[in-house]
Amino acid sequence: MGGVTPASLAPILLVLGDEELLATRAVTEAVAKVRGVDPEADVREYQASALTVGEIAEMLSPSLFGGRRLLILRSGQDARKDLVAALLAYAKNPDPDVQLLVLHLGGAKGKAFADGLRAAGATVVPAAKLKGHRDRVAFVRDEIRRAGGKCTDDAAEALIAAVGNDLRELAAACSQLLADTDGRISADTVARYYRGRVEVTGFTVADATMVGDVPAALEALRWALHVGVDPVPIADALADGVRTVARVASAGRGNPYQLASSLGMPAWKIERAQRQGRGWTPEGLVRAMQVAAECNAAVKGGSDDRAYALERAVFSVAAARQGSTR
């Protein structure tokens, strides 16, 4: 943490609001700053409702061993009156070696405590839920800027449209975009990256894999996992994709509508499998079926890294097809 000095640490920090991501971040940053000044700093956490005045006096008294301390008081709105009085008295003349961080939901409950800390000169870190669309746009732009990237207003708008309003999802999406681009995020970047992504399923992954489009398959796979699609149906879709192409290929060329009854599957599925089957050999399909079976076993057998098992299967199925075309 360059530039952090003992003098730049606020003696009292009031993290005000009910947005968990912002509150957690404020605590993480406070800990990092204190440790930047003193790597051996003593960091302690307490629940306001469980603390007594005697304990708080001991916590805030000068340490026999010196050193810096950060005291984190969670759920400040639940503090009892005697504790509030003791803390507000302390806040008027805080110990320079102690930093007190109070988390407070910011509602009507315990309002006098938050107001008193503010009046005593506490540094307020806003952590309220972002109500308006403009606030969320500002949040996205700030997320990208903090990580060294650049983001236009319309790019932030596009990202919110693709991902939704949840701050954790937005933060994760910003981080993913920064990892996969040069850091200059425009509306076009977001559109390219998220085109149709919200609808991604295991079949999107399987379809791209079967025609050998590895970049599209991996992009769809990563997005599906990011938005919480379970790995099991993705593995099933991949196996189904290989199996369907193999069955349709073995039935020979024919009219999809005529083959529908003998194969027991809808004509549109046969038509798609015929399209996907171009460029495959029987040997390639046998290899792809083995890969899909191994992937299924890894994903359903509780492999440590199911995402890796799926990615490996995408590469291996595409390689089996590549082998077919040589």
Side-chain angles (χ1 to χ4, degrees):
M1 282 268 160
V4 180
T5 62
S8 68
L9 294 174
I12 316 275
L13 277 171
L14 172 62
V15 179
L16 202 55
D18 54 351
E19 175 54 69
E20 196 190 334
L21 175 73
L22 298 178
T24 302
R25 214 172 247 188
V27 172
T28 306
E29 285 179 10
V31 172
K33 279 186 179 176
V34 167
R35 293 258 157 86
V37 169
D38 176 5
E40 302 296 312
D42 184 7
V43 177
R44 301 182 193 183
E45 287 199 26
Y46 302 87
Q47 283 293 331
S49 59
L51 261 186
T52 66
V53 173
E55 286 170 321
I56 202 86
E58 191 184 324
M59 279 163 47
L60 296 168
S61 62
S63 166
L64 289 174
F65 306 106
R68 184 161 288 282
R69 266 176 295 163
L70 169 61
L71 305 174
I72 299 163
L73 195 63
R74 293 190 176 272
S75 306
Q77 70 283 349
D78 297 334
R80 291 191 297 271
K81 279 185 183 170
D82 55 347
L83 183 67
V84 167
L87 285 168
L88 292 181
Y90 167 80
K92 290 181 180 134
N93 186 23
D95 182 329
D97 286 332
V98 176
Q99 188 176 35
L100 174 66
L101 184 153
V102 177
L103 291 141
H104 190 296
L105 288 179
K109 188 180 183 188
K111 188 171 183 297
F113 185 23
D115 290 348
L117 286 172
R118 198 191 261 117
T123 298
V124 179
V125 182
K129 280 201 172 14
L130 304 185
K131 300 267 191 308
H133 180 68
R134 299 305 316 153
D135 290 342
R136 281 186 283 271
V137 168
F139 170 80
V140 168
R141 293 197 65 181
D142 192 47
E143 276 294 288
I144 303 277
R145 189 181 51 73
R146 277 161 56 115
K150 285 185 178 175
C151 172
T152 58
D153 258 7
D154 54 351
E157 301 257 8
L159 193 62
I160 292 163
V163 176
N165 292 332
D166 182 83
L167 283 206
R168 283 185 185 280
E169 289 287 332
L170 283 170
C174 288
S175 152
Q176 191 69 55
L177 265 177
L178 284 161
D180 291 348
T181 64
D182 63 0
R184 288 191 295 272
I185 315 296
S186 67
D188 282 349
T189 317
V190 176
R192 253 195 336 271
Y193 200 83
Y194 285 94
R195 192 174 290 127
R197 295 293 190 85
V198 185
E199 313 308 326
V200 158
T201 65
F203 294 105
T204 320
V205 179
D207 290 348
T209 305
M210 290 309 292
V211 295
D213 189 348
V214 174
L218 290 177
E219 226 177 287
L221 172 61
R222 284 166 190 161
W223 177 244
L225 294 171
H226 173 71
V227 296
V229 177
D230 189 271
V232 170
I234 301 177
D236 283 339
L238 193 57
D240 181 68
V242 176
R243 214 169 28 241
T244 302
V245 168
R247 278 186 67 201
V248 170
S250 67
R253 292 182 183 187
N255 182 307
Y257 295 94
Q258 287 168 340
L259 290 171
S261 57
S262 62
L263 288 175
M265 61 176 83
W268 63 263
K269 197 171 182 181
I270 294 171
E271 199 171 1
R272 189 179 63 186
Q274 285 176 332
R275 240 185 358 261
Q276 291 176 348
R278 290 184 197 126
W280 279 94
T281 62
E283 296 77 27
L285 285 167
V286 168
R287 173 72 195 120
M289 281 198 272
Q290 286 167 343
V291 168
E294 285 160 15
C295 174
N296 243 307
V299 168
K300 291 174 184 174
S303 159
D304 285 347
D305 193 343
R306 303 195 296 171
Y308 174 68
L310 285 163
E311 284 201 8
R312 202 176 51 198
V314 166
F315 281 115
S316 301
V317 168
R321 183 180 183 277
Q322 194 66 32
S324 296
T325 58
R326 279 189 190 133

